[in-house]
């Protein structure tokens, strides 16, 4: 209990430094997820059109997920060097699985009757995708985004090993000096970030599902 109290005191005393680390942590986490969305959603759409491509893409993202985080960081560092870019690319790699898988699952499970109705109205593939499939798959896609964001915030603590900063810097400093207070002072904001983002995205996910339910019943 005393260690927790001391950690809170440290957070209050050095709030400006911890706020800087927290903002760095949040920036890297969200940037990694955004990169995964920009790459992963088009890949998931491709997977729905090409089963062979789907198998290769799924195999690739499964392999990425099994690589230890430190090893993946070091591999990426060969190309991008030290700094936040390496950390962001690594976080994107760990965000691919939930984003690609949920987007793919959401798109292929859209009601076939609705797709046929759209085709009967003369809608093109692009119109079907953006006006029927994606809106209906959005709640499932949001669930994947929520999982990816929480994973990214958790994994971002290792960014300190490539000089990218973030809350991992304080946690690592505490581990090296066997200082439980510093470890807690870095872990608490990271946990608050993860819970806060999960709550915000869960709310958006529920609103998306509720609005979809209302539109389907009017």
């Amino acid at each position: 209990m005393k260690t927790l109290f001391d950690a809170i005191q440290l957070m209050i005393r050095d709030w400006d430094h911890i706020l800087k680390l927290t903002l760095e942590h949040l920036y890297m986490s969200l940037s990694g997820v955004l990169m995964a969305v920009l790459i992963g959603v088009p890949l998931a759409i491709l997977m729905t059109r090409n089963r062979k491509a789907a198998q290769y893409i799924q195999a690739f993202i499964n392999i990425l997920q099994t690589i230890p985080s430190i090893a993946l960081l070091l591999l990426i560092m060969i190309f991008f060097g030290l700094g936040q870019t390496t950390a962001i690319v690594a976080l994107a790699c760990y965000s691919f699985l939930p984003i690609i898988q949920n987007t793919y699952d959401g798109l292929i499970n859209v009601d076939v009757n609705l797709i046929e109705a759209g085709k009967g109205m003369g809608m093109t593939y692009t119109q079907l995708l953006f006006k029927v499939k994606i809106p209906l798959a959005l709640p499932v896609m949001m669930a994947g985004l929520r999982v990816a964001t929480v994973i990214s915030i958790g994994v971002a603590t290792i960014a300190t090993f490539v000089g990218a900063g973030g809350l991992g810097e304080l946690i690592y400093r505490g581990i090296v000096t066997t200082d439980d207070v510093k470890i807690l002072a870095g872990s608490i904001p990271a946990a608050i970030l993860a819970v806060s983002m999960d709550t915000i995205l869960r709310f958006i996910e529920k609103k998306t599902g509720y609005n979809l339910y209302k539109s389907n019943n009017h």
Side-chain angles (χ1 to χ4, degrees):
M1 196 69 183
K2 184 181 181 302
T3 305
L4 177 60
F5 181 72
D6 290 342
I8 293 170
Q9 280 191 318
L10 175 62
M11 288 166 63
I12 294 169
R13 188 171 63 249
D14 294 340
W15 69 269
D16 53 340
H17 179 59
I18 290 174
L19 178 61
K20 173 179 171 290
L21 295 178
T22 303
L23 291 175
E24 287 176 354
H25 199 96
L26 185 62
Y27 167 74
M28 288 186 292
S29 301
L30 295 185
S31 297
V33 172
L34 178 60
M35 182 183 290
V37 168
L38 293 175
I39 298 171
V41 171
L43 282 177
I45 293 169
L46 172 65
M47 287 166 66
T48 63
R49 303 200 70 184
N50 189 319
R51 289 296 176 90
K52 198 165 187 178
Q55 291 176 351
Y56 288 125
I57 292 168
Q58 282 181 324
F60 177 69
I61 60 174
N62 286 336
I63 290 169
L64 274 181
Q65 207 71 17
T66 61
I67 300 174
S69 51
I70 297 295
L72 185 61
L73 266 181
L74 293 175
L75 285 171
I76 296 169
M77 191 175 68
I78 295 170
F79 300 98
F80 296 102
L82 293 170
Q84 290 187 341
T85 302
T86 294
I88 289 168
V89 173
L91 293 173
C93 290
Y94 278 107
S95 302
F96 278 141
L97 182 59
I99 287 172
I100 292 176
Q101 195 61 56
N102 277 52
T103 302
Y104 176 69
D105 288 343
L107 291 174
I108 64 170
N109 287 306
V110 171
D111 192 336
V112 177
N113 293 324
L114 293 174
I115 296 172
E116 291 302 320
K119 288 178 180 177
M121 293 168 62
M123 295 176 75
T124 63
Y125 174 80
T126 305
Q127 289 173 325
L128 277 171
L129 180 65
F130 287 102
K131 293 185 178 180
V132 179
K133 291 184 178 181
I134 289 179
L136 290 172
L138 202 54
V140 181
M141 293 168 67
M142 283 300 302
L145 179 64
R146 182 166 58 84
V147 172
T149 303
V150 173
I151 290 172
S152 184
I153 290 171
V155 176
T157 53
I158 64 167
T160 186
F161 293 109
V162 290
L167 291 165
E169 181 181 310
L170 190 59
I171 294 169
Y172 180 68
R173 205 181 303 159
I175 292 170
V176 170
T177 58
T178 61
D179 188 340
D180 293 340
V181 173
K182 285 181 181 176
I183 294 171
L184 270 177
S187 301
I188 291 170
I192 292 171
L193 264 185
V195 172
S196 300
M197 290 304 301
D198 182 60
T199 303
I200 292 167
L201 291 172
R202 189 187 293 271
F203 174 76
I204 296 170
E205 181 187 336
K206 284 182 178 178
K207 289 291 286 184
T208 303
Y210 175 69
N211 291 335
L212 181 61
Y213 173 79
K214 280 181 67 180
S215 65
N216 285 341
N217 284 274
H218 283 85

